[in-house]
Every structure is written in C-alpha cells, then in structure tokens.
Amino acid sequence: MNNAFYLNDRLEEWHPGMTIKDLIDKKNFIFKMLVVKIDNKLIKKTDYDKTLIPDKSSVQILHLMSGG
Amino acid sequence: MQREEFFKDHDPEILKAIEGGIVGIAGAGGLGSNAAVALARAGVGKLIIVDFDRVSASNLNRQYYFAEQVGSYKVEALKQNLKRVNPWCEYEIYIKRLDPVLIQEIYEDVDILIEAFDQAEAKQMLIETWDECFADIPLIVGSGIGGIGGNNKLRQTASGNLYLIGDGVADVEQGFKPLAPRVTAVAGMQANLALELLISKFNKMKLNDLR
C-alpha cells in the first residue's frame, strides 16, 4: 500500500500535506460536529486545519448528531 | 417490599457485578432519564446524574417524567421517579450545566459515562474533555435519535473506549423530531452497553484477584 490511507476502513489516495480539514471538505462531511480519530487518537476540532494525515494511517470520521 | 424480593429474578452473578458499579449520566432529557430508569431497574449500585434544566410539558412525549413534575428540576424529579422504581440504589444528582471542570470533578469515580446531552456542540465538548482526562473510562454517546422507524439503522460504533449509539444520521436540528419510541430505544441500547461493560470490568477484576 503506497500513498494511501484508510478513511472509515475504506482505502483513500494519500497526498503529502493533506490535513483533516482538507479531507472533511473533500469528502463533504456536512454536519458541523464530528468525531475525528487518526490511528485511534482523538483530534480536537480546533486542530483539524493543522493536523496532517500520515501516509498509511487509519482515519475515522463519525457524525455527531444533536438530540438527547 | 424487601430488597431480596426486588432482586429475586436477577441473576445473582450479574447482580454481584453491577451492584457495586457507578454509572455517570450527563444530561437528564430523553436519553438520560430513560437510561437512568433502565439502569435503576437493572440494579446498578450508583447513578450520578447532572442536568441544569427543568421539566417542561413538551418533554413528556419522550422523557421519563410525569405531568405534575412540569416546572421541577429534571434531576430532582428523576431522583423521585428512580426511588419509586428501585429505592435500594444510590442516586447522586447535581443541578448544574456541565463544563470541562465540572466533568472532571463530578465524574472522577465513575466506571462508565453515558452522554445524554441535547446539543452536538456539548457532545463534542464532553468527548474532547473525556479524551483528555478519563481516556481509560468508557464513554457511551448517543448520536442520531430523532425521527420514526428505521429500527435496523440503530447501531453501536466503537472506537477505543468511545462508543456511539444511534443511526448517525437523524439530526434533531435537521428536523428529525425526537419521539419516545426511538429515543427510548437508543437510551436502552446505551444502558445495555453500560451493563455489558460493567460486567466485563468486574470479571476482569475477579480474574486479577485470582492470579
């Protein structure tokens, strides 16, 4: 596996310099609140634009819905 | 009614595993109030419930309150209801709006936390705080509880100690109004997972004792 990473267990093409924010925009995650993890480490919302996605990593992005 | 009578139909081994358990519940709305009642009936030793809000008439379509409790603080009304269901468990309540500092203070000793907030922003704040302070303690979040039907879409997604329960789609802010059947289904799934995790923690402790 070269230049690729997993997003929610699906293989995605990896590019150098790609941030979490880039991925969220590209994949059109429309909800304003998300749970984002890279290799099971939680990424804070304030860090999305400065967190680089490592090559061969596993990224998990889940929607967080209002309602309780 | 005696305690023994109440617990007569419980599996004694399971009761042993959960009667010393402490489950935190953050929010006492549709998810929190219904999950609390389920856990009280199951016999969890102690529940720590926090909510700042009062019961309103529009809550009665899904939350475990009664008409005469409209206007009361939710946690006070819920404690009354829980005591009527099972007077042998301990119910610790706080009329507070949870923030990162209070979350750390109030939930320091829990075995598991059930997230039952309304707003997605508050859910995110709790998840980030929990990850910083109590990453080793399971956190069970409700996400996607609005609407009607879609039983087969309700599910549990795990990521380390973080569990998301719901359909992950039906956002209340997008017009999926919450109603009792689906909200109580998700609350029941949260409570069910809490029991499962309590029992597995207890069994691990027992195994360690034997070594």
Side-chain angles (χ1 to χ4, degrees), chain B residues 113-155:
Chain B
L113 183 69
I114 290 180
E115 178 283 328
F117 287 151
D118 191 23
Q119 300 296 320
E121 288 85 347
K123 290 174 192 280
Q124 184 130 28
M125 178 277 289
L126 177 60
I127 290 170
E128 290 188 356
T129 305
W130 206 253
D131 185 69
E132 266 175 34
C133 312
F134 304 120
D136 295 338
I137 304 175
L139 171 62
I140 306 174
V141 174
S143 175
I145 62 155
I148 292 170
N151 279 344
N152 58 348
K153 297 211 170 64
L154 297 178
R155 64 178 187 273

Short mmCIF file of all heavy atoms in Angstrom, two decimals, chain B residues 113-155:
data_model
loop_
_atom_site.label_atom_id
_atom_site.label_comp_id
_atom_site.label_asym_id
_atom_site.label_seq_id
_atom_site.Cartn_x
_atom_site.Cartn_y
_atom_site.Cartn_z
N LEU B 113 -19.40 6.41 31.63
CA LEU B 113 -20.24 7.60 31.50
C LEU B 113 -21.17 7.46 30.29
O LEU B 113 -20.72 7.09 29.20
CB LEU B 113 -19.39 8.87 31.33
CG LEU B 113 -20.22 10.16 31.27
CD1 LEU B 113 -20.87 10.48 32.61
CD2 LEU B 113 -19.39 11.35 30.80
N ILE B 114 -22.45 7.77 30.53
CA ILE B 114 -23.41 7.84 29.43
C ILE B 114 -23.61 9.31 29.08
O ILE B 114 -23.99 10.11 29.95
CB ILE B 114 -24.75 7.18 29.83
CG1 ILE B 114 -24.56 5.66 29.92
CG2 ILE B 114 -25.85 7.53 28.82
CD1 ILE B 114 -25.81 4.90 30.31
N GLU B 115 -23.35 9.65 27.84
CA GLU B 115 -23.57 11.03 27.36
C GLU B 115 -25.01 11.13 26.90
O GLU B 115 -25.45 10.33 26.07
CB GLU B 115 -22.58 11.35 26.24
CG GLU B 115 -22.72 12.72 25.63
CD GLU B 115 -23.90 12.84 24.67
OE1 GLU B 115 -24.25 11.86 24.00
OE2 GLU B 115 -24.47 13.93 24.63
N ALA B 116 -25.72 12.12 27.43
CA ALA B 116 -27.14 12.26 27.09
C ALA B 116 -27.51 13.73 26.91
O ALA B 116 -28.59 14.17 27.29
CB ALA B 116 -27.99 11.61 28.17
N PHE B 117 -26.57 14.49 26.33
CA PHE B 117 -26.83 15.91 26.05
C PHE B 117 -27.73 16.03 24.83
O PHE B 117 -27.86 15.09 24.04
CB PHE B 117 -25.52 16.64 25.73
CG PHE B 117 -24.63 16.87 26.91
CD1 PHE B 117 -23.25 16.93 26.71
CD2 PHE B 117 -25.12 17.06 28.18
CE1 PHE B 117 -22.39 17.16 27.78
CE2 PHE B 117 -24.27 17.28 29.25
CZ PHE B 117 -22.90 17.33 29.04
N ASP B 118 -28.24 17.24 24.66
CA ASP B 118 -29.07 17.52 23.51
C ASP B 118 -28.24 18.03 22.33
O ASP B 118 -28.34 17.53 21.21
CB ASP B 118 -30.14 18.55 23.91
CG ASP B 118 -31.20 18.70 22.85
OD1 ASP B 118 -31.38 17.77 22.05
OD2 ASP B 118 -31.85 19.76 22.81
N GLN B 119 -27.39 19.01 22.59
CA GLN B 119 -26.68 19.71 21.51
C GLN B 119 -25.40 18.98 21.09
O GLN B 119 -24.61 18.56 21.94
CB GLN B 119 -26.27 21.12 21.98
CG GLN B 119 -27.45 22.00 22.36
CD GLN B 119 -28.35 22.28 21.17
OE1 GLN B 119 -27.87 22.50 20.07
NE2 GLN B 119 -29.66 22.24 21.39
N ALA B 120 -25.18 18.91 19.78
CA ALA B 120 -23.98 18.27 19.25
C ALA B 120 -22.71 18.97 19.77
O ALA B 120 -21.70 18.31 20.04
CB ALA B 120 -24.00 18.28 17.72
N GLU B 121 -22.76 20.29 19.94
CA GLU B 121 -21.59 21.03 20.45
C GLU B 121 -21.21 20.53 21.84
O GLU B 121 -20.02 20.38 22.16
CB GLU B 121 -21.88 22.54 20.53
CG GLU B 121 -21.95 23.24 19.19
CD GLU B 121 -23.32 23.16 18.54
OE1 GLU B 121 -24.17 22.36 18.99
OE2 GLU B 121 -23.53 23.89 17.55
N ALA B 122 -22.21 20.32 22.69
CA ALA B 122 -21.95 19.85 24.05
C ALA B 122 -21.40 18.42 24.02
O ALA B 122 -20.52 18.06 24.82
CB ALA B 122 -23.24 19.91 24.88
N LYS B 123 -21.92 17.62 23.10
CA LYS B 123 -21.40 16.24 22.96
C LYS B 123 -19.91 16.28 22.61
O LYS B 123 -19.10 15.55 23.18
CB LYS B 123 -22.17 15.49 21.85
CG LYS B 123 -23.62 15.18 22.21
CD LYS B 123 -24.37 14.57 21.00
CE LYS B 123 -25.86 14.51 21.22
NZ LYS B 123 -26.32 13.40 22.04
N GLN B 124 -19.57 17.16 21.67
CA GLN B 124 -18.17 17.28 21.25
C GLN B 124 -17.28 17.74 22.41
O GLN B 124 -16.19 17.20 22.62
CB GLN B 124 -18.06 18.27 20.09
CG GLN B 124 -16.65 18.38 19.54
CD GLN B 124 -16.61 18.24 18.03
OE1 GLN B 124 -17.56 18.57 17.35
NE2 GLN B 124 -15.52 17.76 17.50
N MET B 125 -17.75 18.74 23.18
CA MET B 125 -17.00 19.22 24.34
C MET B 125 -16.74 18.07 25.32
O MET B 125 -15.63 17.90 25.83
CB MET B 125 -17.80 20.37 25.00
CG MET B 125 -17.22 20.98 26.26
SD MET B 125 -17.57 20.07 27.79
CE MET B 125 -19.35 20.40 27.98
N LEU B 126 -17.78 17.28 25.56
CA LEU B 126 -17.65 16.17 26.50
C LEU B 126 -16.65 15.13 25.97
O LEU B 126 -15.78 14.64 26.72
CB LEU B 126 -19.01 15.52 26.75
CG LEU B 126 -19.03 14.29 27.65
CD1 LEU B 126 -18.49 14.62 29.03
CD2 LEU B 126 -20.43 13.73 27.79
N ILE B 127 -16.75 14.80 24.70
CA ILE B 127 -15.84 13.80 24.11
C ILE B 127 -14.39 14.27 24.21
O ILE B 127 -13.50 13.50 24.58
CB ILE B 127 -16.24 13.51 22.64
CG1 ILE B 127 -17.57 12.76 22.59
CG2 ILE B 127 -15.15 12.70 21.92
CD1 ILE B 127 -18.18 12.63 21.20
N GLU B 128 -14.15 15.56 23.93
CA GLU B 128 -12.77 16.07 23.99
C GLU B 128 -12.26 16.11 25.43
O GLU B 128 -11.11 15.76 25.70
CB GLU B 128 -12.70 17.46 23.34
CG GLU B 128 -12.88 17.39 21.83
CD GLU B 128 -12.61 18.71 21.11
OE1 GLU B 128 -12.35 19.73 21.77
OE2 GLU B 128 -12.67 18.70 19.86
N THR B 129 -13.12 16.53 26.36
CA THR B 129 -12.72 16.56 27.77
C THR B 129 -12.43 15.15 28.27
O THR B 129 -11.44 14.91 28.97
CB THR B 129 -13.86 17.17 28.64
OG1 THR B 129 -14.19 18.45 28.12
CG2 THR B 129 -13.44 17.30 30.09
N TRP B 130 -13.30 14.24 27.91
CA TRP B 130 -13.16 12.85 28.38
C TRP B 130 -11.84 12.24 27.87
O TRP B 130 -11.14 11.55 28.58
CB TRP B 130 -14.35 12.01 27.90
CG TRP B 130 -14.62 10.85 28.78
CD1 TRP B 130 -14.38 9.53 28.51
CD2 TRP B 130 -15.18 10.89 30.09
NE1 TRP B 130 -14.74 8.76 29.58
CE2 TRP B 130 -15.24 9.57 30.56
CE3 TRP B 130 -15.64 11.92 30.93
CZ2 TRP B 130 -15.75 9.23 31.83
CZ3 TRP B 130 -16.13 11.61 32.18
CH2 TRP B 130 -16.18 10.28 32.61
N ASP B 131 -11.54 12.53 26.60
CA ASP B 131 -10.32 12.00 25.99
C ASP B 131 -9.08 12.52 26.73
O ASP B 131 -8.09 11.80 26.87
CB ASP B 131 -10.28 12.41 24.51
CG ASP B 131 -9.10 11.80 23.79
OD1 ASP B 131 -9.12 10.57 23.60
OD2 ASP B 131 -8.16 12.54 23.44
N GLU B 132 -9.16 13.77 27.20
CA GLU B 132 -8.01 14.34 27.92
C GLU B 132 -7.88 13.80 29.33
O GLU B 132 -6.77 13.58 29.81
CB GLU B 132 -8.17 15.87 28.01
CG GLU B 132 -7.47 16.60 26.90
CD GLU B 132 -7.75 18.09 26.96
OE1 GLU B 132 -7.90 18.62 28.08
OE2 GLU B 132 -7.83 18.71 25.89
N CYS B 133 -9.00 13.63 30.01
CA CYS B 133 -8.96 13.33 31.46
C CYS B 133 -9.18 11.86 31.80
O CYS B 133 -8.58 11.36 32.73
CB CYS B 133 -10.00 14.15 32.20
SG CYS B 133 -9.99 15.85 31.76
N PHE B 134 -10.11 11.23 31.11
CA PHE B 134 -10.51 9.89 31.53
C PHE B 134 -10.54 8.92 30.34
O PHE B 134 -11.49 8.16 30.16
CB PHE B 134 -11.90 9.91 32.17
CG PHE B 134 -12.05 10.85 33.33
CD1 PHE B 134 -12.97 11.88 33.30
CD2 PHE B 134 -11.27 10.69 34.47
CE1 PHE B 134 -13.12 12.75 34.38
CE2 PHE B 134 -11.41 11.54 35.55
CZ PHE B 134 -12.33 12.59 35.51
N ALA B 135 -9.49 8.95 29.52
CA ALA B 135 -9.50 8.17 28.29
C ALA B 135 -9.66 6.66 28.54
O ALA B 135 -10.09 5.93 27.67
CB ALA B 135 -8.23 8.43 27.49
N ASP B 136 -9.34 6.23 29.77
CA ASP B 136 -9.43 4.79 30.08
C ASP B 136 -10.86 4.37 30.46
O ASP B 136 -11.13 3.19 30.62
CB ASP B 136 -8.51 4.43 31.25
CG ASP B 136 -7.05 4.62 30.88
OD1 ASP B 136 -6.76 4.61 29.67
OD2 ASP B 136 -6.23 4.79 31.79
N ILE B 137 -11.73 5.35 30.68
CA ILE B 137 -13.10 5.02 31.12
C ILE B 137 -14.04 5.08 29.92
O ILE B 137 -14.04 6.06 29.18
CB ILE B 137 -13.57 6.01 32.22
CG1 ILE B 137 -12.57 6.02 33.39
CG2 ILE B 137 -14.97 5.67 32.69
CD1 ILE B 137 -12.89 7.06 34.46
N PRO B 138 -14.84 4.02 29.71
CA PRO B 138 -15.73 4.02 28.56
C PRO B 138 -16.74 5.18 28.57
O PRO B 138 -17.29 5.53 29.62
CB PRO B 138 -16.48 2.68 28.69
CG PRO B 138 -15.61 1.83 29.54
CD PRO B 138 -14.90 2.75 30.47
N LEU B 139 -16.94 5.76 27.40
CA LEU B 139 -17.89 6.85 27.21
C LEU B 139 -18.90 6.41 26.14
O LEU B 139 -18.50 6.03 25.03
CB LEU B 139 -17.16 8.12 26.76
CG LEU B 139 -18.02 9.30 26.31
CD1 LEU B 139 -18.92 9.79 27.45
CD2 LEU B 139 -17.14 10.45 25.81
N ILE B 140 -20.18 6.45 26.49
CA ILE B 140 -21.24 5.98 25.58
C ILE B 140 -22.07 7.17 25.13
O ILE B 140 -22.83 7.75 25.91
CB ILE B 140 -22.14 4.94 26.28
CG1 ILE B 140 -21.29 3.79 26.86
CG2 ILE B 140 -23.18 4.41 25.31
CD1 ILE B 140 -22.09 2.79 27.70
N VAL B 141 -21.92 7.56 23.86
CA VAL B 141 -22.55 8.76 23.33
C VAL B 141 -23.76 8.39 22.48
O VAL B 141 -23.70 7.43 21.71
CB VAL B 141 -21.52 9.53 22.47
CG1 VAL B 141 -22.15 10.72 21.76
CG2 VAL B 141 -20.33 9.98 23.32
N GLY B 142 -24.83 9.17 22.61
CA GLY B 142 -25.99 8.99 21.73
C GLY B 142 -25.86 9.92 20.53
O GLY B 142 -25.56 11.10 20.69
N SER B 143 -26.05 9.40 19.33
CA SER B 143 -25.93 10.25 18.13
C SER B 143 -26.85 9.75 17.02
O SER B 143 -26.60 8.71 16.42
CB SER B 143 -24.48 10.25 17.65
OG SER B 143 -24.38 10.97 16.43
N GLY B 144 -27.93 10.48 16.81
CA GLY B 144 -28.89 10.11 15.77
C GLY B 144 -30.07 9.38 16.37
O GLY B 144 -30.21 8.16 16.24
N ILE B 145 -30.94 10.14 17.02
CA ILE B 145 -32.03 9.52 17.79
C ILE B 145 -33.39 10.02 17.36
O ILE B 145 -34.40 9.53 17.81
CB ILE B 145 -31.88 9.83 19.30
CG1 ILE B 145 -31.97 11.34 19.53
CG2 ILE B 145 -30.57 9.29 19.82
CD1 ILE B 145 -32.42 11.68 20.90
N GLY B 146 -33.42 11.03 16.47
CA GLY B 146 -34.68 11.66 16.08
C GLY B 146 -35.45 10.78 15.10
O GLY B 146 -34.95 9.78 14.59
N GLY B 147 -36.69 11.18 14.85
CA GLY B 147 -37.48 10.53 13.81
C GLY B 147 -38.23 9.29 14.26
O GLY B 147 -38.35 9.00 15.46
N ILE B 148 -38.74 8.59 13.26
CA ILE B 148 -39.62 7.43 13.47
C ILE B 148 -39.12 6.29 12.59
O ILE B 148 -38.64 6.53 11.49
CB ILE B 148 -41.08 7.79 13.11
CG1 ILE B 148 -41.63 8.81 14.12
CG2 ILE B 148 -41.98 6.55 13.05
CD1 ILE B 148 -42.95 9.41 13.73
N GLY B 149 -39.28 5.06 13.06
CA GLY B 149 -38.92 3.89 12.24
C GLY B 149 -37.43 3.67 12.17
O GLY B 149 -36.68 4.14 13.02
N GLY B 150 -36.99 2.94 11.14
CA GLY B 150 -35.56 2.72 10.94
C GLY B 150 -34.92 1.92 12.06
O GLY B 150 -33.78 2.19 12.45
N ASN B 151 -35.63 0.93 12.57
CA ASN B 151 -35.06 0.10 13.64
C ASN B 151 -33.72 -0.50 13.25
O ASN B 151 -32.80 -0.56 14.06
CB ASN B 151 -36.01 -1.06 13.99
CG ASN B 151 -37.13 -0.62 14.90
OD1 ASN B 151 -37.06 0.45 15.51
ND2 ASN B 151 -38.16 -1.43 15.00
N ASN B 152 -33.64 -0.97 11.99
CA ASN B 152 -32.40 -1.66 11.59
C ASN B 152 -31.24 -0.70 11.37
O ASN B 152 -30.13 -1.14 11.11
CB ASN B 152 -32.65 -2.53 10.34
CG ASN B 152 -33.17 -1.70 9.19
OD1 ASN B 152 -33.53 -0.54 9.38
ND2 ASN B 152 -33.20 -2.26 8.01
N LYS B 153 -31.49 0.60 11.48
CA LYS B 153 -30.39 1.57 11.34
C LYS B 153 -29.75 1.92 12.68
O LYS B 153 -28.68 2.53 12.73
CB LYS B 153 -30.89 2.83 10.67
CG LYS B 153 -31.41 2.58 9.25
CD LYS B 153 -31.18 3.79 8.37
CE LYS B 153 -31.45 3.49 6.91
NZ LYS B 153 -32.86 3.12 6.63
N LEU B 154 -30.41 1.57 13.77
CA LEU B 154 -29.85 1.87 15.09
C LEU B 154 -28.70 0.91 15.36
O LEU B 154 -28.86 -0.30 15.22
CB LEU B 154 -30.91 1.74 16.19
CG LEU B 154 -32.07 2.73 16.08
CD1 LEU B 154 -33.08 2.48 17.18
CD2 LEU B 154 -31.58 4.17 16.13
N ARG B 155 -27.55 1.47 15.70
CA ARG B 155 -26.38 0.61 15.87
C ARG B 155 -25.38 1.23 16.82
O ARG B 155 -25.49 2.38 17.23
CB ARG B 155 -25.74 0.37 14.50
CG ARG B 155 -25.20 1.65 13.87
CD ARG B 155 -24.53 1.38 12.54
NE ARG B 155 -23.90 2.61 12.08
CZ ARG B 155 -24.53 3.54 11.36
NH1 ARG B 155 -25.79 3.40 11.05
NH2 ARG B 155 -23.88 4.63 10.98
#
